[in-house]
Amino acid sequence: MKFHIPVKVFDEKDCVKKHSGELATFGKKALIVTGRNSARVNGSLDDVIEALKNENVEYLLFSDVEENPSVETVFAAAEKYRTECIDFVIGIGGGSPLDAAKAIALALKHPETDLAYLYDKERDPSALPVVCVPTTCGTGSEVTGVSVLTRHDKKTKISMVHKVYPDLALVDGKYLESAPQSLIVNTSVDALAHLYESVLNAKVNDYVRMTACAGLKCWAKTKDVLSGKRERSEEDNALLMRSSLFAGMSIAQSGTSLPHALSYALTYDLKMPHGKAVGCFLPGFLAAAPAEQRDELLKLAGFNDMDDFSAFISELFKDIEVPEEELHRAGELVSANRAKMESASFFVDDTVLDNILQSRGRFHNHGDGSMVDC
Ligand code: NAP
Ligand code: FE
């Protein structure tokens, strides 16, 4: 059995300021990588800049990472800063800037990096040191080596093959304070999917069960916030971040499975947020799992049974509609990918895959007889 998380994690309020000395250990000049706007609004960018100034570390700022970052964005950043003698990269934001930061750190270390390099296992995977400051509660990218990148040439998203683990993760729930409810919902459903997909996974082991179980228990405490039954507190923000972190630790070991694989086409074609797209297939995936194990996992996250879970997800995502042809494309992409078809801990053939695809929307009957298209 293997458990590998080479990331130093500080998970506490004001950890960026408190641990500024950690940043100085990576060098004298940092490249900060963010999305276009949110890091300026939620206070994370100011905190990082203040911490760097305290430690006399110079910095440059690349704030042009789009949602679902493309390989083109990675190369544009690497090209722009290649001659700047950058010592380390700090990603601030949701999974998009964090994933981009990892790929940029690789490309800055290896000037010859091109598309083939990102997807060639034989090439040197080392990168500049990476620090991550998450501001969403879904991807857990701050503790994984994964960098999911948009490939416009293939009209989908494909993770680069090299694992670039952050060296340091500074995790503070306060950056979620200003986040809209829709972002909290979408990203924490992503975290829940990571927890379930890592356990119902062919590569599961007892360490994954341990981190996933801890994550599901944290997640359960915030469930009523997602459904709008109560207001989000400071403690909830910390728990949302922590369940995402445990979920990241879990997928870092075993990877994700079918809901993630099926989601990528929806995100690419329909511009659907990642967590929402994954959430579409999560009830169907759980429904296909062995009943005893599934029911135990549902209880850990605070659900009574499969119906309760399906109703919860349908209620969160009742505005989604997925055209039949889109489901068909998502299914075809995954059906042709043997590794993905064999990623679950239970048997999946085209019939099971089709059930998962068709099940989205079939779960919850909304009283008026209409089925919600989730
Ligand atoms: P995201 O794409 O990073 O960000 C979504 C939106 O939220 C952006 O508009 C962003 O604004 C905004 N935002 C971020 N933090 C905010 C805050 N605190 N308050 C208000 N708005 C905020 O979202 P994400 O769901 O975290 O990341 C999704 C990406 O991560 C996908 O590409 C997915 O494939 C990938 N992913 C990676 C892993 C992994 O292990 N590496 C795992 C799962 C998913 P700005 O653009 O202005 O910042
Ligand atoms: Fe995800």
Side-chain angles (χ1 to χ4, degrees):
M1 275 196 265
K2 186 175 156 196
F3 187 78
H4 181 71
I5 295 284
V7 188
K8 188 189 274 192
V9 177
F10 290 97
D11 169 5
E12 59 184 327
K13 194 164 184 208
D14 297 326
C15 57
V16 173
K17 281 185 201 166
K18 281 181 193 159
H19 302 286
S20 61
E22 297 278 342
L23 297 174
T25 65
F26 299 115
K28 283 276 147 218
K29 194 169 186 181
L31 174 65
I32 303 175
V33 174
T34 71
R36 292 184 176 137
N37 187 43
S38 68
R40 293 174 206 275
V41 177
N42 60 40
S44 52
L45 181 60
D46 282 348
D47 282 356
V48 168
I49 289 176
E50 192 186 324
L52 292 172
K53 283 184 176 163
N54 283 345
E55 303 298 329
N56 293 317
V57 176
E58 276 183 70
Y59 66 88
L60 291 167
L61 176 63
F62 179 74
S63 56
D64 218 8
V65 178
E66 75 276 40
E67 288 183 42
N68 307 298
S70 62
V71 288
E72 288 81 4
T73 298
V74 169
F75 294 136
E79 196 56 42
K80 189 168 175 187
Y81 300 104
R82 193 170 306 290
T83 57
E84 292 286 351
C85 298
I86 302 290
D87 293 319
F88 66 108
V89 179
I90 306 176
I92 308 175
S96 297
L98 303 193
D99 284 5
K102 296 173 189 175
I104 292 168
L106 178 97
L108 285 176
K109 176 91 186 267
H110 304 284
E112 71 276 25
T113 303
D114 57 8
L115 192 61
Y117 195 114
L118 294 181
Y119 294 95
D120 183 350
K121 283 189 180 133
E122 302 304 316
R123 308 302 292 269
D124 180 356
S126 63
L128 295 184
V130 175
V131 177
C132 284
V133 181
T135 68
T136 65
C137 48
T139 70
S141 179
E142 65 276 14
V143 288
T144 77
V146 175
S147 169
V148 187
L149 300 172
T150 294
R151 292 280 302 269
H152 290 300
D153 58 327
K154 302 243 183 217
K155 295 194 185 316
T156 187
K157 296 176 11 171
I158 308 179
S159 301
M160 67 172 183
V161 294
H162 309 294
K163 295 279 186 281
V164 176
Y165 279 92
D167 297 79
L168 178 66
L170 297 168
V171 183
D172 188 342
K174 77 176 179 185
Y175 301 132
L176 295 178
E177 266 165 34
S178 58
Q181 175 74 356
S182 57
L183 184 74
I184 298 291
V185 166
N186 291 344
T187 58
S188 68
V189 167
D190 185 26
L192 182 66
H194 296 164
L195 293 163
Y196 281 148
E197 289 177 50
S198 61
V199 177
L200 293 169
N201 196 295
K203 293 186 187 152
V204 70
N205 66 31
D206 280 349
Y207 295 101
V208 177
R209 290 190 187 95
M210 173 187 74
T211 50
C213 178
L216 287 167
K217 286 179 182 168
C218 279
W219 194 94
K221 291 181 192 157
T222 61
K223 185 173 156 264
D224 287 348
V225 167
L226 303 186
S227 58
K229 280 194 187 149
R230 64 177 174 80
E231 293 289 302
R232 188 155 43 95
S233 66
E234 189 179 319
E235 173 65 8
D236 289 319
N237 286 331
L239 285 166
L240 284 160
M241 278 294 194
R242 200 161 302 139
S243 47
S244 169
L245 200 146
F246 278 127
M249 287 185 173
S250 310
I251 51 168
Q253 313 310 311
S254 48
T256 54
S257 186
L258 296 167
H260 267 73
L262 290 167
S263 78
Y264 294 143
L266 272 59
T267 297
Y268 191 89
D269 295 337
L270 309 178
K271 308 286 170 252
M272 196 184 285
H274 174 68
K276 215 174 204 180
V278 170
C280 280
F281 302 112
L282 197 54
F285 180 64
L286 279 152
E292 200 179 321
Q293 194 187 3
R294 172 190 68 216
D295 292 347
E296 199 182 312
L297 290 170
L298 287 173
K299 289 216 161 52
L300 280 171
F303 297 104
N304 297 326
D305 52 28
M306 197 56 226
D307 283 347
D308 188 23
F309 178 59
S310 301
F312 180 87
I313 294 287
S314 293
E315 191 57 38
L316 291 186
F317 295 147
K318 53 181 171 246
D319 56 328
I320 296 182
E321 274 184 37
V322 184
E324 210 46 51
E325 60 271 21
E326 190 54 42
L327 289 176
H328 187 69
R329 182 168 116 77
E332 277 200 328
L333 279 172
V334 174
S335 172
N337 186 334
R338 198 185 166 93
K340 286 295 169 197
M341 290 296 279
E342 292 175 356
S343 62
S345 57
F346 49 89
F347 176 72
V348 175
D349 59 9
D350 280 344
T351 309
V352 175
L353 186 69
D354 200 45
N355 284 339
I356 295 173
L357 282 165
Q358 295 306 329
S359 67
R360 106 274 163 264
R362 210 196 277 153
F363 285 101
H364 190 46
N365 187 323
H366 259 231
D368 59 356
S370 66
M371 293 297 179
V372 172
D373 209 11
C374 162

